[in-house]
Amino acid sequence: MTPNHAQTSSLALLFSALSILSAPFAAWAQEPRPMTGVDLIEVPSLSDPRLSPDGSQIAYTLAEANWDENKRISHVWKLDVGSGESHQLTFGEKGERSPRWSPDGQRLAFVAERGDDESAQIYLLPTAGGEARRLTEHPTSVGSVQWAEDGKALYFLASDDKTKEQKARDKRKDDVFAYDENYQQRHLWTVDASSGETTRMTEGDYSVSSYSLGRDGRFALHVAPTPLFDDSDESEIRLLSGGELSAPLTKNGVNERGARLSPNGETVLFGAGANLEWEGYYNGNVFLMPSAGGTVRLLAEESPHDFQRAEWSSDGKSLFVQANTGARSQIFRLDPRTEELAEITSGDHQVRGWHYRPEREQHVIVLSTPNSPGEIHLVGSDGIRLAGDPFASLLEDFRIPRQELVSWKGEDGVTVEGLLTYPLDFEQGQRYPLAVQTHGGPAASDKFGFGRWNSYPQLLAARGWLVFKPNYRGSTGYGDDFLRDMVGHYYRQSHLDVMTGVDALIERGLADPDRMIKMGWSAGGHMTNKIITHTDRFKAASSGAGAVNWISMYGQSDVRIYRTPWFGGTPWEEDAPIATYWEHSPLKDIWKVKTPTLVLVGQNDLRVPAAQSIELFRALRTNGVETHLYMAPREGHGWRELRHELFKINVELDWFERHALDREYEWEAAPGEAEEDGEDEAIAPTAGG
């Protein structure tokens, strides 16, 4: 059943065809058409599903494009499980997030910044109807909200407020700061659900990065020395009971996550990308340990999957786990005694949201498929069923390309797989231009699902391109040997996996070897930088937020914990493995590059700082390679402003089509801007050529 989104929110613009089809003029309905860049950017993002205590309703958030504000604004929606209809619950100008049902189901907590709020606060909305009221007046933004089991209080995390002295210095701009020391620690608080009175639960020179409440009233905390990302490997699990913080249960030098106390309080489960020797850079694993401390046990050690989340069943006799299985992700039941895995979901999709309510033994799961970015499914003792698909009209309005799994042999004979998206008007026996896209991470994988604006496969398919996403060596979900091929040598098989995959598509008669382009973001940008030094077979390339010099990158980035295993040490230690760092830096071979290459980066990127893109751009330009560097103001590692996203689509398509297909591309304008600019030519940057 299709929720009536088009009748109840600003989704009307995107899904206007839904109301047309339901009207007496259905005969006038147009045939589905190819998507445009604006269409793709305007597809909302559904997240954070939460099943109500009685199982009758599902709250979730829907982030929609707002061109006036130049960003996505998220609101809380409610799906009625019986009818399949959805209704928007919140309408704040700045949006809302993190819907959480009270234990009796009569109130819905959410986080928002409204009115004169200087930071995000908790609001309570009566589910029977009425206005939301602000519960907290915390000096800093709140997050990670959870109800107490009796419904009398809520818990949340918040950064410490600046001292009066710090605020006074900021006001008079006496604000020189100590780099990597200019943070406020984050702690756990509670707030009375009636009075709004808040009470600090943890205090000290440390940060609580996440927490969970056990059924026995104790909390499992992840405690790190600072909130800085690069200190996450020093985070350890501690229990909080009656205001007393236990000694660390773990002390292993890896980043644990998702600690949960068992229903009887005797065992703690947690996840970590490590083995039992506490070596890092492994697929995500599930661990159990006594809550009193003791021997840690690793579950399903032989599984090739990358376990991302885990929850205890209602009786504590089994676990539910979300696992990346390579080109898909699924929910499994894991028996901790036999270590057997049983599939709960199956099919060509990825899990984009999951909430388990143990007292009802029900799950709500959001699945992204090639045809929908957010099918909402309910799982219980009677199996799995579709509860609602807010995006059902996409197939009625737009032509969605076909996606399939492909596999081939790497240069060393290992089987590699990836995803292939076909042109909309694909004809067997004809060769097509090929767009090769490599995923970020690199400890990640491309999965079946609805393509988003950042890789825009729907747009490329509409213009006659094959889109190839290889899960090269270093990807998760294929076992530790596959993932750890990068340890000690980043580019050993990874780039060769990409090229053998390209050759396999050419051999199958699908790809035209004379019309190929390469693109990627983050680690996908790293791979682009390597590929253009490895071969000149691509007619054009786009490097998004990619590293080019591993030596300088090590010190510039806000994270180092993954790079040390790649190269066998730091570049700063005695007898540093500088030769390994340099050998695997694309900059070493940049003199070989002939491929016209775009470079894109956010000006405020901390993960792969803009300095890396500047090094690449200056090297290419100095060597006479056609190139442009486009830097997006205010953006970090992932671009969020709508016009920046549309610019990326436009400038890349213009670059690819001109260099690989020798045809002009007409830049797409943001809604309402073509008339304002007066002519389409005003949209494209003059340097974009």
Side-chain angles (χ1 to χ4, degrees):
M1 288 174 282
T2 305
N4 58 350
H5 280 217
Q7 302 172 12
T8 55
S9 86
S10 57
L11 276 173
L13 179 63
L14 176 61
F15 299 136
S16 58
L18 188 62
S19 59
I20 295 174
L21 291 174
S22 63
F25 307 104
W28 297 357
Q30 295 180 349
E31 289 294 315
R33 61 175 175 80
M35 297 190 82
T36 67
V38 170
D39 292 330
L40 194 53
I41 289 172
E42 288 185 343
V43 174
S45 178
L46 191 158
S47 62
D48 210 0
R50 295 282 161 164
L51 184 64
S52 65
D54 65 2
S56 67
Q57 299 176 87
I58 297 168
Y60 59 92
T61 60
L62 208 60
E64 305 168 55
N66 184 314
W67 290 96
D68 290 336
E69 297 294 329
N70 198 28
K71 64 181 180 180
R72 289 175 183 80
I73 298 178
S74 174
H75 295 296
V76 178
W77 288 68
K78 181 176 67 174
L79 168 69
D80 181 80
V81 172
S83 67
E85 294 187 350
S86 282
H87 301 278
Q88 187 172 340
L89 293 180
T90 64
F91 298 85
E93 290 184 5
K94 297 181 180 179
E96 303 84 14
R97 64 182 186 275
S98 304
R100 299 292 183 266
W101 297 97
S102 63
D104 60 9
Q106 296 182 12
R107 292 168 293 177
L108 194 66
F110 61 84
V111 175
E113 187 177 335
R114 294 181 164 185
D116 59 357
D117 293 344
E118 295 184 358
S119 56
Q121 304 295 327
I122 299 174
Y123 283 76
L124 296 183
L125 177 69
T127 54
E131 294 295 324
R133 71 176 178 92
R134 182 174 62 191
L135 179 64
T136 58
E137 294 187 25
H138 206 71
T140 62
S141 292
V142 307
S144 302
V145 176
Q146 183 174 343
W147 284 89
E149 287 196 355
D150 60 8
K152 295 181 179 180
L154 297 94
Y155 306 103
F156 64 90
L157 294 178
S159 298
D160 289 342
D161 194 15
K162 288 185 176 182
T163 65
K164 289 183 179 180
E165 181 184 358
Q166 288 173 314
K167 291 179 180 179
R169 289 185 60 207
D170 288 346
K171 188 174 182 179
R172 59 180 182 261
K173 292 187 168 51
D174 179 17
D175 50 6
V176 174
F177 62 89
Y179 188 75
D180 268 359
E181 299 176 31
N182 57 319
Y183 54 78
Q184 304 298 123
Q185 299 286 21
R186 198 171 188 225
H187 283 284
L188 179 64
W189 294 73
T190 183
V191 56
D192 186 281
S194 297
S195 68
E197 181 180 353
T198 58
T199 304
R200 178 187 284 272
M201 299 184 68
T202 63
E203 186 171 12
D205 190 19
Y206 59 85
S207 270
V208 179
S209 55
S210 64
Y211 74 97
S212 66
L213 175 61
R215 297 178 207 176
D216 62 359
R218 291 186 296 169
F219 295 82
L221 309 180
H222 290 276
V223 177
T226 78
L228 299 178
F229 184 50
D230 202 44
D231 285 340
S232 59
D233 59 336
E234 297 182 48
S235 171
E236 305 296 352
I237 299 171
R238 304 176 74 172
L239 301 183
L240 179 67
S241 178
E244 295 294 324
L245 194 61
S246 75
L249 298 183
T250 56
K251 194 173 183 181
N252 49 38
V254 301
N255 180 16
E256 307 100 345
R257 58 182 180 268
R260 302 284 190 273
L261 280 157
S262 61
N264 62 12
E266 295 179 357
T267 308
V268 177
L269 78 81
F270 63 93
N275 61 9
L276 264 181
E277 285 69 48
W278 305 119
E279 297 171 311
Y281 216 75
Y282 282 76
N283 280 281
N285 282 314
V286 179
F287 299 85
L288 298 180
M289 70 178 304
S291 60
T295 303
V296 178
R297 181 181 166 208
L298 169 58
L299 299 183
E301 186 174 7
E302 300 304 316
S303 170
H305 304 329
D306 172 44
F307 295 111
Q308 299 168 321
R309 281 185 56 196
E311 301 285 351
W312 290 101
S313 64
S314 59
D315 59 9
K317 294 182 179 179
S318 60
L319 307 176
F320 296 106
V321 294
Q322 178 180 336
N324 168 11
T325 65
R328 307 168 182 87
S329 61
Q330 311 288 1
I331 304 294
F332 293 87
R333 181 189 290 271
L334 172 59
D335 187 322
R337 294 161 297 177
T338 65
E339 303 191 18
E340 292 182 358
L341 285 166
E343 268 191 348
I344 291 178
T345 64
S346 61
D348 294 340
H349 56 235
Q350 58 179 298
V351 176
R352 300 290 296 177
W354 169 41
H355 176 232
Y356 172 58
R357 190 167 278 283
E359 68 273 21
R360 294 193 58 80
E361 296 189 350
Q362 284 185 303
H363 310 253
V364 58
I365 301 170
V366 176
L367 299 178
S368 175
T369 73
N371 293 328
S372 173
E375 296 177 355
I376 304 175
H377 293 259
L378 199 61
V379 181
S381 58
D382 57 347
I384 182 170
R385 67 183 179 91
L386 180 66
D389 183 1
F391 305 95
S393 65
L394 283 174
L395 278 176
E396 300 171 358
D397 296 342
F398 303 113
R399 296 178 63 194
I400 308 298
R402 175 165 61 99
Q403 192 178 89
E404 75 174 24
L405 187 71
V406 293
S407 63
W408 64 95
K409 295 292 186 182
E411 190 177 75
D412 58 352
V414 169
T415 298
V416 187
E417 65 180 26
L419 294 171
L420 185 66
T421 299
Y422 285 86
L424 287 181
D425 297 315
F426 175 77
E427 294 181 9
Q428 194 68 44
Q430 181 176 335
R431 291 188 182 271
Y432 291 89
L434 180 67
V436 180
Q437 301 179 346
T438 46
H439 63 72
S445 63
D446 273 316
K447 306 174 190 66
F448 282 101
F450 193 84
R452 307 301 296 200
W453 70 268
N454 52 353
S455 58
Y456 50 88
Q458 295 92 334
L459 310 187
L460 287 162
R463 302 185 70 84
W465 291 81
L466 284 166
V467 183
F468 177 46
K469 297 186 174 186
N471 282 335
Y472 52 87
R473 224 71 59 93
S475 300
T476 48
Y478 297 98
D480 289 329
D481 288 344
F482 197 94
L483 169 69
R484 289 175 60 80
D485 187 82
M486 288 185 164
V487 174
H489 31 64
Y490 191 99
Y491 298 112
R492 184 169 73 162
Q493 295 294 333
S494 57
H495 62 297
L496 302 179
D497 287 345
V498 175
M499 297 311 300
T500 53
V502 168
D503 288 337
L505 295 178
I506 294 171
E507 187 175 344
R508 285 179 55 184
L510 295 171
D512 184 342
D514 296 322
R515 297 184 295 167
M516 303 192 303
I517 63 94
K518 173 70 187 69
M519 62 186 293
W521 196 271
S522 191
H526 310 342
M527 184 63 74
T528 297
N529 297 342
K530 174 63 177 181
I531 291 288
I532 60 175
T533 69
H534 175 72
T535 179
D536 59 2
R537 293 171 61 185
F538 293 96
K539 297 299 183 182
S542 177
S543 171
V548 70
N549 181 346
W550 288 120
I551 300 172
S552 58
M553 171 72 167
Y554 193 90
Q556 292 166 356
S557 175
D558 68 344
V559 59
R560 280 153 289 283
I561 52 180
Y562 308 123
R563 282 143 203 164
T564 310
W566 295 343
F567 306 118
T570 78
W572 307 326
E573 63 193 42
E574 185 178 3
D575 298 323
I578 293 295
T580 305
Y581 273 88
W582 184 242
E583 180 65 28
H584 292 269
S585 293
L587 194 63
K588 168 181 173 289
D589 296 311
I590 206 73
W591 59 273
K592 299 178 182 178
V593 177
K594 299 178 181 178
T595 307
T597 302
L598 280 181
V599 187
L600 303 167
V601 71
Q603 188 175 18
N604 298 333
D605 194 335
L606 298 178
R607 197 62 33 87
V608 186
Q612 289 294 307
S613 292
I614 293 171
E615 282 196 58
L616 172 62
F617 166 67
R618 287 180 173 161
L620 293 174
R621 188 173 63 172
T622 299
N623 289 343
V625 178
E626 187 180 356
T627 183
H628 300 289
L629 168 59
Y630 293 111
M631 196 173 294
R634 301 174 299 282
E635 297 284 20
H637 194 51
W639 291 9
R640 298 183 182 278
E641 295 187 21
L642 304 185
R643 286 170 178 79
H644 291 164
E645 295 173 358
L646 184 57
F647 178 89
K648 177 183 184 295
I649 291 172
N650 277 324
V651 77
E652 287 184 326
L653 284 177
D654 181 271
W655 191 255
F656 298 152
E657 299 250 321
R658 184 158 48 85
H659 284 93
L661 305 183
D662 194 26
R663 69 186 184 192
E664 294 296 318
Y665 169 76
E666 184 176 341
W667 280 55
E668 189 176 344
E673 290 183 3
E675 296 84 357
E676 296 172 11
D677 291 336
E679 55 183 33
D680 291 342
E681 287 78 10
I683 302 166
T686 56

